[in-house]
Amino acid sequence: MPEKTYESLYNWSIEQPQEFWKAQAQRLAWHKFPEKILDESGDYPQWFGDGELNLSELCLDKHIADGYGEDTALIYDSPVSQSKAKYSYNELRDLVAAFAGGLRELGLEPGDRAVIYMPMIPQAVVAMLACARLGVTHSVVFGGFAAHELAIRIDDCKPKVLITASAGIEIEKIIPYKVLVDAALEEAEFPPEKVVLYNRRLGVEHPERDYDVDFEELLKAEPVEPVMLKSTHPSYILYTSGTTGTPKGVVRDTGGYATVLHFSMQHVYGLKPREVFWAASDIGWVVGHSYIVYGPLLHRNTTVLFEGKPIRTPDARTFWRVIEEYKVSVMFTAPTAIRAIRKEDPEGAWIKKHDLSSLRFQFLAGERCDAATLEWLQGQLQKPVIDHWWQTESGWPMLANMAGHELLPIKAGSAGRPVCGFAFDILDEEGQVLPANAEGLLSIRTPLPPGCLMGLWENSERFKKSYFSQFEGYYSTGDGAYIDEEGYYFITGRVDDVINVAGHRLSTAEMEEVLAAHPAVAEVAVIGRACELKGQLPMAFVVWQGQEGRAESVLEKELVQLVRAKIGAVASLKEILPVERLPKTRSGKTLRRLLRDLVDQRPYKMPSTIDDPAVIPELQAKIQAYR
Ligand code: COA
Ligand code: AMP
């Protein structure tokens, strides 16, 4: 590889993408190295199509064969259950190989699907890696989603098994996972044949079912060797929120994903093998897939699996305690977590009490990071705090300050510069490229680099329509942005109806669908209003169609409960605002952006298509009274 400033590496990746990615792929131990690097002859470009490899082998067996078996692969730290454990590569491989053997005994074969609905415990990582070992496509569902959401995902990917645990622990409550699973299976049209249950022995009651299989029994099976898979084999499906009520099943390949994760551990996060990396996220999100499980293990780093929150488990010192205790070199979290910590510890008293000398970089992502939060953290840590931007769809960072190179100056409020492989343009509604400082639609020239989504599970129509239909030759990110004169990108937020609550991506359309099903609701519009702690919070504007004598306050509680029951607590919908009518265009479309501007008290532009401008003062009065 020629040597390497950020600029030279980036330019190489754009000017000679095939040579560039071939060189990166050569750093992995493929079973069969691909002859074809990029194939654009089919419907959608494929990277490394004829290569063969196995993710679990590269994450575990390869390091053992190289003599690192006794290095620590995984540290489990759980303040909520007051337990800690360390797993060497040898130990983790043995568990994964045995569990994969157990899954095989249940009849799982390459190409079958397994849904994993588990809290942040080592058994969840074992389950993911065991699926990868067998070529079983996993779909991890975040624990904050309710039974109905789980059922939707089950029906979409039709798994042969579901792997779960008896319970999870939130700050002050127990989440009865197995009870939720049983409810989801009752609702699902295509339930799995078996449910593999890890009993955490937390005293949560759940009836035994015929389909239950004990996780620990499966570990007694004959261990299995990794199954060699095509580079384009779907390693996982991860559902994410789109602009309709139905989540999108993002499909990830195997070889492209392994290549970019390995590349990013070194070049984006600036890590050397053996160092400790901590992504304080959840395995139910893409950050968890890429940077709790696969990325660090592929790159032979120690990964931290943290079951807790930045505050109240037990207090705002938790993050700093973990960094000190395990000598974390690089950490990744969401800005919300930092805002929560700052609220509890504004002077950084806890930060000063801990030895954070091991920490080189603090990365932030998942939502927009306000300049004040970044500057506060940088001042407290006296280390580079790096905002970076990406999506479930990309699977790895697209904008960042690539810490594997000399850092570029940090600009608070900017998510950085393009990561190798990504060529951006900011486009207007007509697809014209906009100049510096003009806000528009953040778009990426195709073909996308390796590792990005291969499709949406069994829905090629939606795949094309969602991402490639707006502008010829571009992938539409769904985010707005502008670039300054120095080439730094500033993300201005989603341009669709997706919102971001505490770093969690949620669909307002989905909440609207649930609320509209309530008999008292005639019309509803959900928007994301600005929130100092969580970035955004959902707020529902509701027009009643007859209250049947029931108090508004009772109906409002019912609506809040409905969203909790159907979507899950993570939706965080607590604000219902009854109104006489919604603002509409003459063709009947709800003006959600106007609602958002009114709630956030931003100057709004009178939409030229508004049906009746008199609705605006009406709404302003309602919002004022609500406050
Ligand atoms: N399983 C079950 N329930 C969950 C859950 C999970 N894995 N995660 C969240 N929930 C529940 C919470 O218990 C809460 O329920 P409640 O309404 O009964 O209190 C609800 O979903 C909302 O959760 P959250 O938005 O996380 O709010 P919180 O008040 O519990 O915590 C923060 C606030 C800021 C501490 C927390 O949001 C946080 O740590 N954010 C960082 C998020 C992050 O890392 N995101 C990943 C993106 S990279
Ligand atoms: P997810 O697919 O859940 O990772 O969410 C991706 C979305 O989160 C992006 O499309 C952005 O809207 C938002 N997002 C993620 N990281 C950032 C960031 N650093 N700055 C601004 N928005 C972000």
Side-chain angles (χ1 to χ4, degrees), residues 18 36 67 88 110 119 152 171 177 195 198 205 226 242 262 267 292 301 351 399 409 412 418 459 480 532 553 614:
Q18 299 209 35
K36 192 125 192 100
S88 68
I152 291 176
I171 295 180
Y177 274 66
V195 171
Y198 177 71
E205 306 247 329
H262 192 272
H267 291 275
I292 295 175
N301 290 108
I351 299 179
L399 290 172
N459 201 339
E532 252 179 43
S553 60

Side-chain angles (χ1 to χ4, degrees), residues 366-368 387-392 479 491 494 500 505:
E367 56 172 329
R368 214 183 86 74
D387 183 11
H388 67 319
W389 170 90
W390 50 297
Q391 306 176 309
T392 304
D479 278 288
I491 304 290
R494 296 290 301 191
N500 200 311
R505 175 168 159 182

